[in-house]
Amino acid sequence: MTSIKEQAAISRLLSFLQDWDNAGKVARNNILNNFIEANQGKTAPELEQEFSQGASLFLVRLTTWLRLTYMTGSPLDKLLRSIGVFLSAVSSNRYLIEFLEVGGVLTLLEILALNKIKEEDKKESVKLLQVIANSGRKYKELICESYGVRSIAEFLAKSKSEETQEEVQVLLDSLIHGNPKYQNQVYKGLIALLPCASPKAQQLALQTLRTAQSIIGTTHPSIVDCVLKVLCTMHLEVQYEAIELIKDLVNYDVCPALLKGLVALLIPSFKETSKLQSQIVSDSSVLELTAHLPLFLQQAAAAKAIGRAQRCPGTAAGILARHNTTLAEEMLHLRVIHSLMAAMGNTDHSNSQRQASLTLEYFVQLFPVVEENVRKTMGEELYKLFLSNAENLYMNIDSIQADILAANKVNVTRVLHLSGLSYSNMSFYFGHSNEDQVAYITHFQKEDVEEKE
């Protein structure tokens, strides 16, 4: 037989549950407020003691009310926080299983997709998904199996609250760790976020991709194109994260495609540029934005991506750092010098000129063959201006000198043998299996020597 004390506790529990069952919305909100204030941070045994070993009876009422009301647009923040008291309690595995058995994960994911639900409520839903994901590998797999990655990524792209977006990043970061079965799904979801219209979502996706890339160890073919397209952003914080990811990606098999893509961006497509210019000129309200054409922004960012790491030697992420010139040599094969000088002649965008000039200065200092060809193409007067202050060269050149740069025909590839580049360095870009291409370049260089003789 139960003691008088136990009977009194059970009576209080039944009275509490009856009050809940009979209460309206206002009364239930008051009950939730009191519950959160009194029980936040308690362990599962403490909750059981508080509810006379019947805490699950209240949890099931909360989950039932959630499923009945979430599609109506009613405020959910207090309800979700109350459920969070149970799920986040120490030793709460029993509560977690009970919540999942009634479709808790699907309900939380559906909340993220509903337009009528407030942003604050969606943030609480994300926090509950974090608690579930942090409970173990099988729970992360359950979220992913419920099409969670797609729902979470879409919400990150559409969310208008940076604070909420940062919570989503924490969730995605949790799903990428300790989840070998679905980590590639999360990785692809992050790549799919890069073209979205939200700068904050792009920034957070790029940050998380760096972590994901180091965990997965292999790359997806689409990542190069997606990252390079992000460089056209006007948001410097997004551009910074893209360049940081590029620094990491050169250590993977996409390096040749990445280098080729960066060099290609230094000379924007004339057709695309003309199309954008015609759109701008037709709208008088944005006539002053010519200097901020996406392709020119991308051009400046590409020059910055090539050159920034070169001027930061000693860092682990230095893709063309002075302590590792191999990639810089491979850029020469891609005619990076010609492309940099062409960018320096782009008088429509001063930042492209500045970034390209700074990067060219490094190549000139590093490779004698580059110095010789650049001097010959520029002429003594322009070259002296370049040497005296590469960063501000764009402010000191006239239209004729800009045309000389834009129309340059520098082809350092023809004379790379003068810089002492080795067969192994050439093999790096073309691959050891493609010896015919390397032999072709060597033959091409020999022919050039014979012509000069």
Side-chain angles (χ1 to χ4, degrees):
M1 294 180 64
T2 57
S3 66
I4 296 176
K5 187 175 181 181
E6 289 173 339
Q7 288 178 349
I10 293 172
S11 178
R12 286 196 302 272
L13 172 62
L14 294 176
S15 176
F16 173 80
L17 295 177
Q18 189 174 20
D19 288 343
W20 172 267
D21 293 338
N22 296 330
K25 287 186 178 181
V26 176
R28 284 189 173 186
N29 278 330
N30 291 332
I31 293 173
L32 292 177
N33 278 332
N34 295 332
F35 171 76
I36 294 169
E37 185 177 343
N39 298 286
Q40 187 74 51
K42 284 187 176 180
T43 64
E46 289 171 337
L47 288 172
E48 287 299 325
Q49 184 178 3
E50 177 72 21
F51 284 88
S52 305
Q53 310 307 311
S56 293
L57 296 174
F58 185 47
L59 175 59
V60 74
R61 282 165 167 77
L62 295 179
T63 54
T64 301
W65 191 32
L66 175 65
R67 298 189 69 188
L68 289 172
T69 61
Y70 79 93
M71 297 191 73
T72 65
S74 301
L76 301 174
D77 57 327
K78 293 175 185 176
L79 178 55
L80 292 169
R81 286 172 61 196
S82 298
I83 294 173
V85 169
F86 286 99
L87 301 190
S88 60
V90 177
S91 305
S92 63
N93 193 58
R94 170 186 166 186
Y95 303 141
L96 180 59
I97 292 172
E98 290 173 356
F99 180 70
L100 299 180
E101 284 178 344
V102 296
V105 166
L106 287 173
T107 301
L108 295 176
L109 292 173
E110 287 173 9
I111 286 172
L112 300 182
L114 294 176
N115 294 328
K116 62 179 70 175
I117 295 179
K118 295 179 180 179
E119 191 84 11
E120 186 64 29
D121 297 344
K122 293 182 179 182
K123 184 173 77 170
E124 292 299 328
S125 179
V126 170
K127 287 182 177 179
L128 285 184
L129 288 168
Q130 290 173 8
V131 172
I132 295 170
N134 291 334
S135 298
R137 173 177 167 178
K138 64 180 181 180
Y139 301 109
K140 294 177 183 180
E141 291 178 353
L142 176 61
I143 292 173
C144 295
E145 288 166 358
S146 304
Y147 301 98
V149 174
R150 179 175 179 177
S151 300
I152 294 164
E154 287 179 353
F155 175 58
L156 176 58
K158 295 176 182 178
S159 175
K160 304 300 181 184
S161 165
E162 292 192 358
E163 187 178 342
T164 302
Q165 288 176 310
E166 287 170 359
E167 293 291 348
V168 177
Q169 183 197 26
V170 173
L171 175 58
L172 288 170
D173 187 71
S174 176
L175 292 175
I176 201 70
H177 285 89
N179 188 17
K181 187 175 180 180
Y182 292 105
Q183 61 186 17
N184 272 300
Q185 186 183 102
V186 182
Y187 175 62
K188 292 175 184 177
L190 290 167
I191 295 175
L193 274 170
L194 297 184
C196 77
S198 168
K200 186 64 176 181
Q202 288 179 313
Q203 180 189 10
L204 296 174
L206 288 164
Q207 288 175 351
T208 313
L209 265 173
R210 295 185 65 196
T211 302
Q213 191 62 70
S214 64
I215 292 172
I216 294 173
T218 57
T219 57
H220 191 272
S222 67
I223 194 170
V224 171
D225 189 49
C226 289
V227 173
L228 293 180
K229 285 181 178 177
V230 172
L231 293 178
C232 70
T233 181
M234 295 180 65
H235 300 270
L236 293 179
E237 68 279 7
V238 179
Q239 185 187 104
Y240 170 82
E241 296 298 342
I243 292 174
E244 291 300 305
L245 179 58
I246 287 171
K247 291 178 183 179
D248 291 345
L249 288 175
V250 295
N251 298 311
Y252 296 89
D253 57 347
V254 295
C255 179
L258 194 58
L259 298 181
K260 185 176 180 181
L262 283 171
V263 174
L265 293 179
L266 294 173
I267 304 181
S269 166
F270 178 75
K271 291 181 180 179
E272 292 296 324
T273 306
S274 299
K275 189 189 303 181
L276 287 168
Q277 285 176 330
S278 64
Q279 291 173 356
I280 286 176
V281 172
S282 65
D283 185 353
S284 59
S285 65
V286 289
L287 280 174
E288 299 301 322
L289 293 181
T290 304
H292 300 292
L293 288 170
L295 292 176
F296 290 163
L297 290 168
Q298 203 173 24
Q299 178 188 49
K304 186 177 180 180
I306 295 168
R308 168 171 285 190
Q310 297 171 350
R311 295 189 293 275
C312 299
T315 60
I319 60 173
L320 298 177
R322 297 178 188 273
H323 295 299
N324 180 11
T325 59
T326 302
L327 295 181
E329 294 168 358
E330 301 314 317
M331 300 285 262
L332 297 183
H333 287 285
L334 298 171
R335 296 197 67 190
V336 69
I337 305 305
H338 162 72
S339 300
L340 286 170
M341 292 181 69
M344 290 168 63
N346 179 12
T347 55
D348 287 327
H349 196 235
S350 60
N351 196 39
S352 288
Q353 294 178 290
R354 176 176 170 272
Q355 297 294 345
S357 185
L358 287 169
T359 302
L360 180 64
E361 181 183 37
Y362 168 73
F363 279 98
V364 166
Q365 293 170 350
L366 186 63
F367 299 109
V369 65
V370 173
E371 188 272 341
E372 178 186 342
N373 278 265
V374 170
R375 180 195 294 267
K376 187 185 301 181
T377 301
M378 285 187 177
E380 289 299 323
E381 182 182 351
L382 179 55
Y383 187 71
K384 285 179 182 177
L385 284 174
F386 170 69
L387 287 184
S388 63
N389 192 341
E391 184 172 5
N392 295 324
L393 178 67
Y394 70 95
M395 295 190 292
N396 300 319
I397 59 175
D398 55 33
S399 59
I400 295 176
Q401 291 170 325
D403 289 341
I404 291 173
L405 292 168
N408 82 89
K409 302 296 182 183
V410 171
N411 190 354
V412 179
T413 306
R414 291 172 58 91
V415 287
L416 278 179
H417 63 285
L418 295 176
S419 65
L421 295 186
S422 65
Y423 174 89
S424 62
N425 285 336
M426 289 189 288
S427 298
F428 174 86
Y429 177 75
F430 293 109
H432 294 288
S433 62
N434 200 347
E435 295 181 1
D436 290 340
Q437 264 185 301
V438 178
Y440 170 78
I441 287 184
T442 305
H443 176 72
F444 187 78
Q445 293 174 344
K446 287 180 180 178
E447 284 186 337
D448 191 56
V449 172
E450 290 172 0
E451 287 175 7
K452 287 189 175 182
E453 290 177 349

